[in-house]
Structures are given as C-alpha cells and as structure tokens.
Amino acid sequence: MKLKIEKYNNKLSAVGNWSIHPKPQKKFKFCMVVPCYSESHIISNLLDSILLQNINLLNEMAVIIVVNNSVDADEKIVNDNYKTINIITDYGSRMNIYYIDAFSGQYALSKKKSGVGFSRKLGVDKFISYLFEDSLICFTDADVVLDPSYLTEINNFYAKTNCSAFLVGFKHQKSSDQLINKYIAEYEKYLKDTAKSIKDAGSIYGYVSIGSCMGCTLEAYIAVGGMPAIKATEDFYFLQALSKYRKIMHIKKEIVFPSSRNELRVHLGTGFRVNQLLSGLDIKDLYYSKKSYDYLKSVLSILHMSWYDSIEETSKKLRAISNKILNFFENENYDEYLIKIKTNVTTQEQYIHQLNRWFDGLKTIQFLNYFSNKN
C-alpha cells in the first residue's frame, strides 16, 4: 500500500503550492473533505452539526475545508471566503479542523481547475500523509447538516462490513418556500426511484450519485486514481470508478441533509433541476420509460449468461428482444469486447465483473436515454 500511495503522489496527486492550515500534528482514522465557495452565511450549520457527533469518534476525525474560487472571481466572493476562514479558525479549539486556501491571490484556482471536483481532490490529496492506510474519507458539502449519529453510523457500518466505498441516506432540508419544497420532494423521489429501478434491473450502478453522501477507504481512493478534477458530475464518475473497483455499499439511514436552495452553481445539480421545475419542467419528463428498464433487465441477464454462449447466440438473443437493442450494442462493438474479456478471464464471476466495467454507469444512462426516446 505504501508503494501505491507513493506512485499516486508522484503521478496523480494535485500538485501546487497550496498548504494545510494549521499543520496537522497526527494521523486520523477519519477525514471529512468539504469544498467551500462563498459559504460564510451557512458553513456554521455544518460545523455545529459536526460538533454533535460522538466525541470519541470526533477526536479521531479531521475536517478539511477547501475554501476556493477561481482567479477571475468577483471581489464579493473572495471577501466572503475570507470571512469563512475566520469562522473556521473560531472552531479550531473544538474540533480537528483545517483549511486549504485555494481562493486568495496566487492560491486562487485557474479557470481550468476551479470547481467542486478539483476542490474535493485537493482536500484529500493534501491530507493523505495524515491518514492511515485503512482511514475512511468522507465527502460532504458546506450547505449540508449532518445527523448527530453520522460518524457512529459510518464507524459501525465499516466495522461490520469492511466496505471499500459507501453511500449514506439523505433527505433535503425544508425551505421556507413551499413551492421549492414541493419540487425538491419531487426531484428527490425521482433520484431514488431511478436508482432503485436501475438496481432492480440487475445493474451495480443503481444508486444516487450525490457528492455530499459518499465515502471510501484511502486504499479505494488510491486504487481508482483519486477524485476526478472536473467542474461538475465528479461524484458520478468517482462513484462509477469505485463501483468498478469494489461494490459500493449503502447506509440506509438518512444522516445527511443537503440544503434545499435552488442556486445554479453547477449544471445538472439539484439547484439546476429545481430551477427547471420552477420554470415549468414536468418531473415526469425526467423519468426513463418502463420499457427501457425492462430492456435493461433482459439485456443484463443475456450479457451475464453470454459467458456460456457464442457471440452468434448472444446476438440472436439480443435480436429476439429488439433489432434496435442489437443495433445499440453493435454500435458499441460489444462482440469485440466480449471476445477480448473471454480470452482474459477464467470464471463467469470474473467475466461479469469485466462486463460491468464495460457496460458501466454512463453506458447504462445512455441505454436508458436511448430506449426512452430522450436522444
């Protein structure tokens, strides 16, 4: 593991002149990484909820706040981030809290790097040397409130399952605007319904990709190459990579409460969708069709059993469902891939694992879009 960490640090770690303040004096069993962009008005809600965690576990956790903005940020954003630093410093005597200045002067992020993906990555990468090999990395957001049982639930779940990666249950906070509450509830139901339908179809990618609810071991983080340094959807691609590595497990209890605000910070985020709904989008238009899920279930069953079948037999089975399905997979050169993995594995279990790496979360969404006529 030590060599893997060294290799990661040499090739994939976020480099630069950023520093952790204050410098940590020990290693931690847990760390929580929080990207923070102009959040001085709300960050205390998260920090206060962290203070309510089990005191013994809290003493073993480091909270890393990555205060960030781009080099071309408005002066108001920069000034607000200075306020956030002062707030973080005030909590220093009550928890193991650290910050990374990725907003001021020479430390501001380039236009290419600015965004939540690189901020999450920066927080972990700069803290790796203060973690044990089996430390747990928790990701959340500055507008979140945590249940007082958050750390206890995660600690107990890990002790029971020894999981590599996990997602926790969530429920959005209530807004003072009843219309926003209505649309938040609709969108939250859509997310959970979609995840369940994908899972029921037999896919390993049946989960809600939400960055404020995910976590993994340091080993898993290193194994998948760290957090994608992208402006948005970093949670989708990070969880997809973790799923390809090992099974993502679920803590069903709702212990993370994201904000219900409808700010347009990133494309395809909750705020973006709520604004669409406020502008007249019908939530029904987001759902995939029942037919697409039925097709997905049939296809996954055929592909998993293709270990025993020839390419011709598999194609015949796909065509029996629909010529359109066979066309979809032929356009993906599925036959070449099936032949390739059959020559490199020795068991059906290994075969299915490799199939899931190929027919991944992104291809699953593309498939559902295609057969729901959303293309």
Side-chain angles (χ1 to χ4, degrees), residues 78-92:
V78 178
N79 289 338
D80 189 84
N81 281 336
Y82 274 114
K83 292 179 182 178
T84 299
I85 295 296
N86 291 333
I87 293 170
I88 292 169
T89 302
D90 288 342
Y91 280 83

Side-chain angles (χ1 to χ4, degrees), residues 315 319 325-335:
S315 295
R319 186 184 293 110
I325 283 181
L326 181 58
N327 291 339
F328 178 91
F329 283 99
E330 285 180 339
N331 288 335
E332 296 288 337
N333 298 317
Y334 90 104
D335 50 347

Side-chain angles (χ1 to χ4, degrees), residues 124-141:
V124 178
D125 290 2
K126 288 296 182 180
F127 212 80
I128 284 176
S129 59
Y130 302 106
L131 299 176
F132 300 107
E133 291 183 2
D134 61 347
S135 291
L136 293 181
I137 303 167
C138 301
F139 297 93
T140 199
D141 292 324

Side-chain angles (χ1 to χ4, degrees), residues 37-145:
Y37 171 90
S38 187
E39 309 273 12
S40 69
H41 63 294
I42 202 169
I43 186 71
S44 292
N45 293 338
L46 169 65
L47 300 181
D48 287 343
S49 71
I50 292 174
L51 287 173
L52 297 177
Q53 303 302 306
N54 176 285
I55 186 62
N56 293 323
L57 297 176
L58 184 58
N59 288 336
E60 297 184 78
M61 183 176 79
V63 179
I64 304 102
I65 314 291
V66 184
V67 187
N68 69 93
N69 56 239
S70 65
V71 291
D72 60 345
D74 187 278
E75 185 178 357
K76 290 181 180 179
I77 301 296
V78 178
N79 289 338
D80 189 84
N81 281 336
Y82 274 114
K83 292 179 182 178
T84 299
I85 295 296
N86 291 333
I87 293 170
I88 292 169
T89 302
D90 288 342
Y91 280 83
S93 62
R94 290 174 281 174
M95 66 173 79
N96 303 305
I97 189 167
Y98 307 90
Y99 70 86
I100 294 175
D101 175 354
F103 75 93
S104 70
Q106 62 179 320
Y107 302 113
L109 301 180
S110 67
K111 293 180 182 180
K112 182 178 179 180
K113 289 181 177 178
S114 66
V116 67
F118 184 81
S119 294
R120 292 195 202 279
K121 177 178 176 60
L122 179 61
V124 178
D125 290 2
K126 288 296 182 180
F127 212 80
I128 284 176
S129 59
Y130 302 106
L131 299 176
F132 300 107
E133 291 183 2
D134 61 347
S135 291
L136 293 181
I137 303 167
C138 301
F139 297 93
T140 199
D141 292 324
D143 64 348
V144 157
V145 172

Side-chain angles (χ1 to χ4, degrees), residues 138-368:
C138 301
F139 297 93
T140 199
D141 292 324
D143 64 348
V144 157
V145 172
L146 304 177
D147 188 88
S149 67
Y150 176 89
L151 269 180
T152 301
E153 290 288 337
I154 290 174
N155 183 65
N156 292 347
F157 187 79
Y158 180 67
K160 183 188 299 184
T161 64
N162 197 35
C163 60
S164 291
F166 59 89
L167 282 162
V168 305
F170 71 95
K171 188 174 183 63
H172 284 86
Q173 301 168 39
K174 292 290 185 182
S175 167
S176 58
D177 187 320
Q178 293 307 309
L179 191 58
I180 289 179
N181 284 333
K182 174 181 181 293
Y183 290 141
I184 281 283
E186 287 184 0
Y187 183 61
E188 191 174 288
K189 184 177 186 301
Y190 155 76
L191 291 174
K192 294 178 179 180
D193 286 349
T194 300
K196 183 179 186 302
S197 295
I198 292 174
K199 182 179 179 182
D200 289 348
S203 172
I204 65 171
Y205 301 101
Y207 48 74
V208 180
S209 298
I210 181 165
S212 57
C213 298
M214 58 191 185
C216 65
T217 61
L218 175 60
E219 179 186 16
Y221 182 86
I222 296 296
V224 303
M227 181 68 62
I230 53 181
K231 291 181 180 295
T233 67
E234 84 296 336
D235 43 10
F236 175 88
Y237 288 104
F238 184 59
L239 289 167
Q240 177 176 265
L242 289 171
S243 294
K244 292 180 179 183
Y245 175 63
R246 300 272 171 79
K247 181 180 179 181
I248 292 180
M249 303 191 76
H250 299 265
I251 298 174
K252 294 182 179 179
K253 183 177 179 182
E254 294 168 348
I255 54 177
V256 168
F257 306 102
S259 168
S260 58
R261 61 186 177 177
N262 61 320
E263 293 181 14
L264 291 169
R265 293 202 166 191
V266 295
H267 181 63
L268 293 181
T270 300
F272 174 82
R273 287 302 191 197
V274 170
N275 270 285
Q276 282 189 312
L277 294 169
L278 287 167
S279 299
L281 176 72
D282 190 331
I283 192 69
K284 294 177 183 177
D285 293 337
L286 294 179
Y287 277 84
Y288 301 114
S289 67
K290 182 181 183 302
K291 180 181 73 173
S292 70
Y293 288 118
D294 291 341
Y295 280 170
L296 178 62
K297 186 172 184 177
S298 298
V299 161
L300 288 174
S301 177
I302 290 170
L303 290 178
H304 291 172
M305 292 304 294
S306 65
W307 169 250
Y308 300 103
D309 295 335
S310 67
I311 297 297
E312 292 74 18
E313 289 170 320
T314 300
S315 295
K316 184 178 179 180
K317 290 180 179 180
L318 292 174
R319 186 184 293 110
I321 306 173
S322 163
N323 280 326
K324 196 175 178 182
I325 283 181
L326 181 58
N327 291 339
F328 178 91
F329 283 99
E330 285 180 339
N331 288 335
E332 296 288 337
N333 298 317
Y334 90 104
D335 50 347
E336 295 178 11
Y337 190 81
L338 263 58
I339 292 171
K340 180 180 178 181
I341 61 175
K342 277 189 176 183
T343 61
N344 290 297
V345 299
T346 57
T347 68
Q348 185 186 20
E349 182 180 7
Q350 293 171 339
Y351 181 71
I352 291 174
H353 177 74
Q354 291 301 320
L355 269 175
N356 287 334
R357 291 179 65 86
W358 173 71
F359 194 44
D360 57 16
L362 181 59
K363 274 196 177 68
T364 299
I365 296 301
Q366 291 170 340
F367 181 95
L368 293 171

Side-chain angles (χ1 to χ4, degrees), residues 11-46:
K11 293 188 175 183
L12 297 172
S13 180
V15 295
N17 58 350
W18 298 283
S19 301
I20 300 169
H21 306 279
K23 185 177 181 180
Q25 300 300 312
K26 65 174 185 177
K27 291 190 174 186
F28 295 90
K29 180 178 179 180
F30 303 94
C31 77
M32 177 179 289
V33 176
V34 185
C36 185
Y37 171 90
S38 187
E39 309 273 12
S40 69
H41 63 294
I42 202 169
I43 186 71
S44 292
N45 293 338
L46 169 65

